[in-house]
Amino acid sequence: MDLPEPRDFRQWIKRVLTVLDLTGYRWSREAGVPPNLVSKLLSGEQTDLRLSAACALVRIAQKTARDQGIALPPLERHRLASDPGGCSRP
């Protein structure tokens, strides 16, 4: 299974904010996640998030990009090791 590392997801969030001209607050609100989630991720106050929150953010980014006719930046993904201890920490 391929998933992004938390640090790669944070970098992707930074790029998406710029490309889509969104604020972290607006993106969080539209995704239905706590309104300061994106800001906390970017500041490092929060280093991880639930998969449901990540999916909601990606869904809104995809919809917004589609609506604006803009391509989203690629999200780096890493093959997870079959060993449960194989995932690296943020």
Side-chain angles (χ1 to χ4, degrees), residues 36-73:
N36 57 355
L37 177 70
V38 171
S39 298
K40 284 184 174 184
L41 281 170
L42 295 177
S43 73
E45 184 178 339
Q46 183 170 338
T47 58
D48 238 339
L49 68 155
R50 291 176 176 245
L51 186 54
S52 59
C55 288
L57 290 170
V58 169
R59 250 190 317 277
I60 291 301
Q62 289 172 334
K63 179 190 179 308
T64 304
R66 227 180 6 261
D67 292 349
Q68 294 181 11
I70 297 173
L72 288 176

Side-chain angles (χ1 to χ4, degrees), residues 6-19:
R7 69 182 169 273
D8 295 328
F9 192 69
R10 279 192 299 277
Q11 290 303 314
W12 181 79
I13 285 174
K14 287 180 186 179
R15 291 192 309 270
V16 169
L17 285 169
T18 301
V19 167

